[in-house]
Coordinates of all heavy atoms in Angstrom, one line a residue:
E227 N 42.3 -187.4 208.9 CA 42.6 -187.0 207.5 C 43.4 -188.1 206.8 O 44.6 -188.0 206.6 CB 43.4 -185.7 207.5 CG 42.7 -184.5 208.2 CD 41.6 -183.9 207.4 OE1 41.5 -184.3 206.2 OE2 40.9 -183.1 207.9
P228 N 42.7 -189.2 206.4 CA 43.4 -190.3 205.8 C 44.2 -190.0 204.5 O 45.0 -190.8 204.2 CB 42.2 -191.3 205.6 CG 41.0 -190.5 205.5 CD 41.2 -189.4 206.4
N229 N 43.8 -189.0 203.9 CA 44.5 -188.7 202.6 C 45.7 -187.7 202.8 O 46.3 -187.2 201.8 CB 43.6 -188.0 201.6 CG 42.5 -189.1 201.2 OD1 42.8 -190.3 201.0 ND2 41.3 -188.6 201.0
I230 N 46.0 -187.3 204.0 CA 47.1 -186.4 204.3 C 48.1 -187.1 205.2 O 47.8 -187.7 206.1 CB 46.5 -185.1 205.1 CG1 45.6 -184.4 204.1 CG2 47.6 -184.2 205.5 CD1 44.9 -183.1 204.8
V231 N 49.4 -186.8 204.8 CA 50.5 -187.4 205.5 C 50.9 -186.5 206.6 O 51.2 -185.3 206.5 CB 51.7 -187.6 204.6 CG1 52.9 -188.2 205.4 CG2 51.3 -188.6 203.4
P232 N 50.9 -187.0 207.9 CA 51.3 -186.2 209.0 C 52.7 -185.5 208.9 O 52.8 -184.3 209.2 CB 51.1 -187.1 210.2 CG 50.2 -188.2 209.8 CD 50.4 -188.3 208.4
F233 N 53.6 -186.3 208.5 CA 55.0 -185.8 208.4 C 55.5 -186.2 207.0 O 55.9 -187.4 206.8 CB 55.9 -186.4 209.5 CG 57.3 -185.9 209.5 CD1 57.6 -184.6 210.0 CD2 58.3 -186.7 209.0 CE1 58.9 -184.2 210.0 CE2 59.6 -186.3 209.1 CZ 59.9 -185.0 209.6
Y234 N 55.6 -185.2 206.1 CA 56.0 -185.5 204.7 C 57.5 -185.3 204.6 O 58.1 -184.3 204.9 CB 55.2 -184.5 203.8 CG 55.2 -184.9 202.4 CD1 54.4 -186.0 202.0 CD2 55.9 -184.3 201.4 CE1 54.3 -186.4 200.7 CE2 55.8 -184.6 200.1 CZ 55.1 -185.7 199.7 OH 55.0 -186.1 198.4
T235 N 58.1 -186.3 204.0 CA 59.6 -186.3 203.8 C 59.9 -187.0 202.5 O 59.0 -187.4 201.7 CB 60.3 -186.9 204.9 OG1 61.7 -186.6 204.8 CG2 60.1 -188.4 205.0
E236 N 61.2 -187.0 202.2 CA 61.6 -187.4 200.8 C 62.9 -188.1 200.8 O 63.6 -188.3 201.8 CB 61.6 -186.2 199.8 CG 62.6 -185.1 200.4 CD 62.8 -183.9 199.5 OE1 62.7 -184.2 198.3 OE2 63.1 -182.9 200.0
Q237 N 63.4 -188.5 199.6 CA 64.6 -189.3 199.5 C 65.8 -188.4 199.9 O 66.9 -188.9 200.2 CB 64.8 -189.8 198.1 CG 64.9 -188.8 197.0 CD 65.5 -189.4 195.8 OE1 66.1 -190.5 195.8 NE2 65.3 -188.7 194.7
N238 N 65.7 -187.1 199.8 CA 66.8 -186.2 200.1 C 66.7 -185.7 201.6 O 67.1 -184.6 201.9 CB 66.9 -185.0 199.2 CG 65.9 -183.9 199.5 OD1 64.9 -184.2 200.2 ND2 66.2 -182.7 199.1
A239 N 66.3 -186.7 202.4 CA 66.1 -186.3 203.8 C 67.4 -185.8 204.5 O 67.3 -185.0 205.4 CB 65.7 -187.5 204.6
V240 N 68.5 -186.1 203.9 CA 69.8 -185.7 204.5 C 69.9 -184.1 204.3 O 70.7 -183.5 205.1 CB 71.0 -186.4 203.8 CG1 71.0 -187.8 204.2 CG2 70.9 -186.2 202.3
S241 N 69.3 -183.5 203.5 CA 69.5 -182.1 203.3 C 68.7 -181.2 204.3 O 69.3 -180.3 204.9 CB 69.1 -181.6 201.9 OG 67.7 -181.8 201.7
A242 N 67.5 -181.5 204.5 CA 66.7 -180.7 205.4 C 65.6 -181.5 206.2 O 65.2 -181.2 207.3 CB 66.0 -179.6 204.7
N243 N 65.2 -182.6 205.6 CA 64.0 -183.2 206.1 C 64.1 -184.3 207.0 O 63.2 -185.2 207.2 CB 63.0 -183.6 204.9 CG 62.7 -182.4 204.0 OD1 63.3 -182.2 203.0 ND2 61.7 -181.6 204.5
S244 N 65.3 -184.5 207.6 CA 65.5 -185.5 208.6 C 65.6 -184.9 210.0 O 66.1 -183.9 210.2 CB 66.8 -186.2 208.3 OG 67.2 -187.1 209.4
V245 N 65.0 -185.6 210.9 CA 65.0 -185.1 212.3 C 66.5 -185.1 212.9 O 66.7 -184.4 213.8 CB 64.2 -186.0 213.2 CG1 62.7 -186.1 212.8 CG2 64.7 -187.4 213.3
T246 N 67.4 -185.7 212.3 CA 68.7 -185.7 212.8 C 69.4 -184.4 212.7 O 70.4 -184.1 213.3 CB 69.7 -186.7 212.0 OG1 69.6 -186.4 210.6 CG2 69.2 -188.2 212.2
N247 N 68.8 -183.4 211.9 CA 69.3 -182.1 211.8 C 69.1 -181.3 213.1 O 69.7 -180.2 213.3 CB 68.7 -181.4 210.6 CG 69.3 -181.8 209.3 OD1 70.5 -182.0 209.2 ND2 68.4 -182.1 208.4
A248 N 68.4 -181.8 214.1 CA 68.2 -181.1 215.4 C 69.2 -181.5 216.4 O 69.1 -181.1 217.5 CB 66.7 -181.4 215.9
L249 N 70.1 -182.4 216.0 CA 71.1 -182.9 216.9 C 72.3 -182.0 217.2 O 72.5 -181.1 216.4 CB 71.5 -184.3 216.5 CG 70.4 -185.3 216.2 CD1 70.9 -186.7 215.8 CD2 69.5 -185.5 217.4
N250 N 73.0 -182.3 218.3 CA 74.0 -181.4 218.7 C 75.3 -181.6 218.2 O 76.3 -182.0 218.8 CB 74.1 -181.6 220.3 CG 74.8 -180.5 221.0 OD1 74.9 -179.4 220.4 ND2 75.3 -180.8 222.2
Y251 N 75.5 -181.3 216.9 CA 76.8 -181.6 216.2 C 77.2 -180.3 215.4 O 76.4 -179.5 214.9 CB 76.7 -182.7 215.2 CG 76.3 -184.0 215.8 CD1 75.1 -184.6 215.5 CD2 77.2 -184.7 216.6 CE1 74.7 -185.8 216.0 CE2 76.9 -186.0 217.1 CZ 75.6 -186.5 216.8 OH 75.3 -187.7 217.4
I252 N 78.5 -180.1 215.2 CA 79.0 -179.2 214.2 C 79.6 -180.2 213.1 O 80.6 -180.9 213.3 CB 80.2 -178.4 214.8 CG1 79.7 -177.4 215.9 CG2 80.8 -177.5 213.7 CD1 80.8 -176.6 216.5
D253 N 78.9 -180.2 212.0 CA 79.3 -181.1 210.9 C 80.5 -180.5 210.1 O 80.5 -179.3 209.8 CB 78.1 -181.3 210.0 CG 77.1 -182.2 210.7 OD1 77.2 -183.3 210.9 OD2 76.0 -181.5 211.0
L254 N 81.5 -181.3 209.8 CA 82.7 -180.9 209.1 C 82.7 -181.3 207.7 O 82.7 -180.6 206.8 CB 83.9 -181.4 209.8 CG 84.1 -180.9 211.3 CD1 85.2 -181.6 212.0 CD2 84.3 -179.4 211.4
A255 N 82.5 -182.7 207.5 CA 82.5 -183.2 206.2 C 82.1 -184.7 206.3 O 82.5 -185.4 207.2 CB 83.8 -183.1 205.5
F256 N 81.2 -185.2 205.4 CA 80.8 -186.6 205.4 C 80.2 -186.9 206.8 O 79.4 -186.2 207.3 CB 82.0 -187.4 205.0 CG 82.6 -187.1 203.8 CD1 83.8 -186.4 203.8 CD2 82.0 -187.3 202.6 CE1 84.4 -185.9 202.6 CE2 82.5 -186.8 201.4 CZ 83.7 -186.2 201.4
F257 N 80.8 -187.9 207.5 CA 80.3 -188.3 208.8 C 81.1 -187.8 209.9 O 81.0 -188.1 211.1 CB 80.2 -189.8 208.8 CG 81.4 -190.5 208.2 CD1 82.5 -190.7 209.0 CD2 81.4 -190.9 206.9 CE1 83.6 -191.3 208.5 CE2 82.5 -191.5 206.4 CZ 83.7 -191.7 207.1
G258 N 82.1 -186.9 209.6 CA 83.0 -186.3 210.6 C 82.3 -185.1 211.2 O 81.8 -184.2 210.5
A259 N 82.4 -185.0 212.5 CA 81.7 -184.0 213.2 C 82.4 -183.7 214.6 O 83.2 -184.5 215.0 CB 80.2 -184.3 213.5
L260 N 82.0 -182.5 215.2 CA 82.4 -182.2 216.5 C 81.1 -182.1 217.4 O 80.1 -181.8 216.9 CB 83.1 -180.9 216.6 CG 84.3 -180.7 215.7 CD1 84.8 -179.2 215.8 CD2 85.5 -181.6 216.2
Y261 N 81.3 -182.4 218.7 CA 80.2 -182.0 219.6 C 80.1 -180.5 219.8 O 81.2 -179.9 220.1 CB 80.3 -182.7 221.0 CG 80.2 -184.2 221.0 CD1 81.3 -185.0 221.3 CD2 79.0 -184.8 220.6 CE1 81.2 -186.4 221.3 CE2 78.9 -186.2 220.6 CZ 80.0 -186.9 221.0 OH 79.8 -188.3 221.0
R262 N 79.0 -179.9 219.6 CA 78.9 -178.5 219.7 C 79.2 -177.9 221.0 O 79.9 -176.8 221.1 CB 77.5 -178.0 219.2 CG 77.4 -176.6 219.1 CD 76.0 -176.1 218.6 NE 75.8 -174.7 218.8 CZ 74.7 -174.1 218.6 NH1 73.7 -174.8 218.0 NH2 74.5 -172.8 218.7
N263 N 78.9 -178.6 222.0 CA 79.2 -178.0 223.3 C 80.5 -178.4 224.0 O 80.8 -178.1 225.1 CB 78.0 -178.5 224.3 CG 76.7 -177.8 223.9 OD1 76.6 -176.8 223.3 ND2 75.5 -178.5 224.2
S264 N 81.3 -179.1 223.2 CA 82.5 -179.6 223.7 C 83.6 -178.5 223.5 O 83.5 -177.7 222.6 CB 83.0 -180.9 223.0 OG 84.3 -181.2 223.4
N265 N 84.6 -178.6 224.5 CA 85.7 -177.5 224.4 C 86.8 -178.0 223.5 O 87.8 -177.3 223.2 CB 86.2 -177.2 225.7 CG 85.1 -176.4 226.5 OD1 84.4 -175.6 226.0 ND2 85.1 -176.7 227.8
D266 N 86.8 -179.3 223.1 CA 87.9 -179.8 222.3 C 87.5 -179.8 220.9 O 86.4 -179.5 220.5 CB 88.4 -181.2 222.8 CG 87.4 -182.3 222.6 OD1 86.5 -182.1 221.7 OD2 87.4 -183.2 223.4
F267 N 88.5 -180.2 220.0 CA 88.3 -180.3 218.6 C 88.5 -181.7 218.1 O 89.1 -182.0 217.0 CB 89.1 -179.3 217.9 CG 88.7 -177.9 218.0 CD1 89.2 -177.1 219.1 CD2 87.9 -177.3 217.1 CE1 88.8 -175.8 219.3 CE2 87.4 -175.9 217.3 CZ 87.9 -175.2 218.4
K268 N 88.1 -182.7 218.8 CA 88.2 -184.1 218.5 C 87.1 -184.5 217.5 O 85.9 -184.4 217.7 CB 88.1 -185.0 219.7 CG 88.3 -186.5 219.4 CD 88.3 -187.4 220.6 CE 88.3 -188.8 220.2 NZ 89.3 -189.2 219.4
V269 N 87.5 -184.9 216.3 CA 86.6 -185.3 215.2 C 86.1 -186.7 215.5 O 86.8 -187.6 215.8 CB 87.2 -185.3 213.9 CG1 86.2 -185.7 212.8 CG2 87.8 -183.9 213.6
I270 N 84.7 -186.8 215.5 CA 84.1 -188.2 215.7 C 83.3 -188.6 214.5 O 83.1 -187.8 213.5 CB 83.1 -188.1 216.9 CG1 81.9 -187.1 216.5 CG2 83.8 -187.6 218.1 CD1 80.7 -187.3 217.4
N271 N 83.1 -189.9 214.4 CA 82.3 -190.5 213.4 C 80.8 -190.3 213.9 O 80.4 -191.1 214.8 CB 82.6 -191.9 213.1 CG 81.7 -192.5 212.0 OD1 80.7 -192.1 211.7 ND2 82.3 -193.6 211.4
K272 N 80.1 -189.4 213.4 CA 78.7 -189.1 213.9 C 77.8 -190.4 213.8 O 77.0 -190.6 214.7 CB 78.2 -188.0 213.1 CG 76.8 -187.5 213.6 CD 76.4 -186.2 213.0 CE 76.4 -186.3 211.5 NZ 75.9 -185.1 210.9
F273 N 78.0 -191.2 212.8 CA 77.1 -192.4 212.7 C 77.3 -193.3 213.7 O 76.4 -194.2 214.0 CB 77.4 -193.0 211.3 CG 77.1 -192.2 210.1 CD1 77.7 -192.4 208.9 CD2 76.3 -191.1 210.2 CE1 77.5 -191.6 207.8 CE2 76.0 -190.3 209.0 CZ 76.6 -190.6 207.9
E274 N 78.4 -193.2 214.5 CA 78.7 -194.2 215.6 C 78.2 -193.7 216.9 O 78.1 -194.3 217.9 CB 80.2 -194.4 215.7 CG 80.8 -195.2 214.5 CD 82.3 -195.4 214.7 OE1 82.9 -194.6 215.4 OE2 82.8 -196.3 214.0
D275 N 77.7 -192.4 216.9 CA 77.3 -191.7 218.1 C 75.9 -192.2 218.6 O 75.0 -192.2 217.8 CB 77.4 -190.2 218.0 CG 77.2 -189.5 219.3 OD1 78.0 -189.7 220.1 OD2 76.2 -188.7 219.4

Side-chain angles (χ1 to χ4, degrees):
E227 301 284 349
N229 295 321
I230 294 178
V231 176
F233 181 76
Y234 197 71
T235 189
E236 58 175 329
Q237 65 165 342
N238 76 340
V240 290
S241 67
N243 299 104
S244 170
V245 301
T246 59
N247 286 314
L249 305 183
N250 194 20
Y251 301 109
I252 296 175
D253 292 285
L254 299 174
F256 308 103
F257 43 88
L260 303 175
Y261 290 117
R262 182 173 169 186
N263 295 332
S264 173
N265 291 323
D266 65 27
F267 287 88
K268 179 177 173 54
V269 180
I270 65 167
N271 181 339
K272 183 170 56 176
F273 298 156
E274 295 178 339
D275 191 61

